[in-house]
Amino acid sequence: MSGRPIATDRSATGIPTHRLAIWWVLASEVVIFGGLLGAYLMHRLGHPEWAEAASHTQTWIGAVNTFVLLTSSFTAVLAHQAAEKGDGKKAAMLLVFTIGGALTFLMIKSFEWYTEISHGYTITANTFWSFYYTAAGLHALHVIAGAIIMGIVAVGAFKGRMLHRVEIIGIYWHFVDVVWIFLFPLLYIAK
Amino acid sequence: MSEHSDHNGHGHGEGHGTGFYFKIYLTLLVLFLISVAGPEIGEATGIRAITLVTAFGIALWKARLVINEFMHLKAEKRIMKWLLTTSVILMALMVAGVSPDVLNHRGNNWENLAAQAAVERGLAEMAGEVHEEEGTEVVEAEPAGFTAAASYGTVCATCHGAAGDGSGVAGAALDPPPANFTDPVFWEGRDRDRIITVIRDGAAAVGGSALMAPWGALYDEEQLGLMADYVMSFNPNQ
């Protein structure tokens, strides 16, 4: 293990470096998503007429996707648990389930956007729809990135390598879930 | 705690069995169902508080569960909690800082005309859609998608106000002020032909102010009539 980077062993905070790193990523994500959702919320409150546009979002689709993401968070935490016990194969399998959740989410999202766009609710239709596509789109990009990285981590875990990565991608994935937990009421429920 | 964290970093969160995580997952699902059902009840009963509490209160609760139990932030070193809290506070400060300018559309020394016009236009369009759905005779939907209400909302409401009372934002500074169609006195001696002339050729054509511009280029003969009917529908004595 001589090729191992020094930084993984050093830890001024007492937190392993890889975990410290993902927390830093998330700390900056909080500001990115927080700023976007905050801006949306303020505009929504200042524009009563957005109620009309907002009434066209499809609540049940948002609800199904919430369920999908919650479930994928559950499999992600089980993958972490398996990795902790050193069971790389099981961790990899659970990560594959989680990726399945990500893909299901994206498929449902594509169907949703397809129906909306074909009804003329495009990103330029009005400011509500601009926010809608920007916020959900930025979130969807995170889902895509998560799915890809989980794939890479799962391959390693299957071979019993770099099991600590399972926890790190898990923390990231839960964050993606948390963002959706807020997007769901903002875009679909509070009409 | 994570004091005995080994250098693989798997030390924390240990001791939680599958059963524990499953319980958290089930709790999340129950909360999720409440967050969907609550707003339905809120809407049915007309109590907005139910909607807001079940939608956003539950979201906070769910987020807390995921962050504490799935991300194991609860068991993480304190410095990490402070780092993330700082991030949330900075974000909240930023939002709070700009909120007076975004939430309000007018302040002591400023007015956001574009936002005000957008609100008026949007509300007028909503009203127009309602008319259309109810099929009232005032607004006859044209095949080309023309409705007098919608056109009034986009073209005229900025001066005459969505309610026709002359309170449009762009009209506030005009002298003479835009006509108030809800004032019975205004309608004394004004008939449909005059209104059509004014819309087509401007108020100057009837001896009024040029601030009321001619809009004839926008409408054909039939649409002019519909616009006039719509304007006349503001007359309280009609």
Side-chain angles (χ1 to χ4, degrees):
Chain A
M1 290 294 253
S2 55
R4 199 166 173 215
I6 298 291
T8 4
D9 298 329
R10 271 185 55 223
S11 179
T13 52
I15 303 171
T17 309
H18 47 265
R19 209 160 69 214
L20 184 67
I22 193 67
W23 284 127
W24 269 114
V25 169
L26 298 191
S28 62
E29 295 268 20
V30 165
V31 184
I32 296 173
F33 277 107
L36 184 58
L37 297 191
Y40 167 74
L41 193 63
M42 288 188 287
H43 278 92
R44 181 77 177 77
L45 292 173
H47 286 270
E49 81 277 15
W50 285 20
E52 203 275 325
S55 69
H56 294 293
T57 60
Q58 305 164 70
T59 310
W60 65 273
I61 294 190
V64 171
N65 259 345
T66 308
F67 170 75
V68 169
L69 276 195
L70 283 178
T71 307
S72 75
S73 243
F74 177 55
T75 52
V77 81
L78 291 185
H80 170 206
Q81 190 198 27
E84 248 177 29
K85 291 188 179 137
D87 190 344
K89 290 221 162 55
K90 188 169 172 201
M93 190 193 76
L94 284 160
L95 278 181
V96 168
F97 273 127
T98 313
I99 296 171
L103 296 180
T104 313
F105 178 92
L106 291 171
M107 255 149 52
I108 295 176
K109 181 117 287 210
S110 319
F111 166 75
E112 177 188 32
W113 283 19
Y114 172 78
T115 56
E116 277 155 4
I117 291 171
S118 59
H119 279 82
Y121 304 126
T122 60
I123 191 166
T124 53
N126 61 40
T127 322
F128 170 81
W129 290 105
S130 304
F131 266 111
Y132 172 85
Y133 286 108
T134 309
L138 187 63
H139 177 264
L141 283 180
H142 281 74
V143 172
I144 294 171
I148 293 172
I149 300 171
M150 275 191 287
I152 298 170
V153 172
V155 170
F158 187 76
K159 296 176 184 155
R161 285 208 302 262
M162 312 260 224
L163 284 183
H164 64 274
R165 287 181 168 179
V166 177
E167 174 188 20
I168 305 309
I169 188 62
I171 293 180
Y172 169 86
W173 191 252
H174 299 313
F175 176 81
V176 173
D177 188 15
V178 168
V179 170
W180 185 260
I181 287 178
F182 288 109
L183 275 179
F184 176 55
L186 279 173
L187 296 180
Y188 297 88
I189 299 227
K191 296 184 168 172
Chain B
M1 284 285 292
S2 38
E3 221 42 68
H4 54 256
S5 227
D6 58 357
H7 39 251
N8 290 325
H10 298 148
H12 83 159
E14 238 164 9
H16 285 329
T18 310
F20 173 81
Y21 291 126
F22 191 64
K23 234 185 272 165
I24 298 288
Y25 173 58
L26 280 188
T27 315
L28 284 169
L29 288 188
V30 171
L31 288 175
F32 159 63
L33 289 180
I34 297 176
S35 74
V36 177
E40 299 283 330
I41 299 171
E43 206 168 304
T45 56
I47 308 175
R48 240 180 111 70
I50 299 184
T51 308
L52 292 179
V53 169
T54 46
F56 295 102
I58 298 265
L60 284 172
W61 191 356
K62 279 198 295 191
R64 202 182 128 256
L65 272 181
V66 172
I67 292 169
N68 273 339
E69 311 298 349
F70 282 0
M71 294 163 96
H72 298 120
L73 186 62
K74 205 166 77 178
E76 187 58 279
K77 291 260 188 241
R78 228 202 257 119
I79 186 170
M80 219 54 244
K81 294 177 197 160
W82 284 115
L83 180 85
L84 290 165
T85 311
T86 309
S87 209
V88 172
I89 291 175
L90 286 176
M91 184 269 289
L93 270 179
M94 185 192 79
V95 171
V98 296
S99 66
D101 289 355
V102 181
L103 283 177
N104 303 322
H105 294 161
R106 59 162 59 90
N108 284 339
N109 301 309
W110 59 276
E111 250 184 300
N112 186 343
L113 294 179
Q116 288 172 1
V119 171
E120 284 212 19
R121 209 182 318 119
L123 290 179
E125 265 169 32
M126 275 165 87
E129 270 186 30
V130 172
H131 275 297
E132 224 175 279
E133 278 160 18
E134 286 169 357
T136 34
E137 76 291 356
V138 188
V139 192
E140 267 135 358
E142 290 261 299
F146 170 86
T147 68
S151 184
Y152 180 89
T154 30
V155 184
C156 326
T158 44
C159 289
H160 290 284
D165 57 1
S167 70
V169 279
L174 298 183
D175 181 26
N180 173 0
F181 307 134
T182 61
D183 178 3
V185 177
F186 169 81
W187 290 105
E188 281 167 15
R190 283 186 168 84
D191 57 8
R192 192 167 180 273
D193 282 344
R194 174 179 172 123
I195 302 301
I196 292 180
T197 309
V198 168
I199 300 175
R200 193 197 317 112
D201 303 323
V206 293
S209 159
L211 287 173
M212 170 61 204
W215 299 99
L218 287 184
Y219 309 109
D220 61 25
E221 219 39 54
E222 195 191 344
Q223 290 169 340
L224 274 174
L226 291 172
M227 289 304 290
D229 289 340
Y230 187 75
V231 168
M232 292 179 79
S233 72
F234 289 119
N235 183 354
N237 291 338
Q238 212 203 17

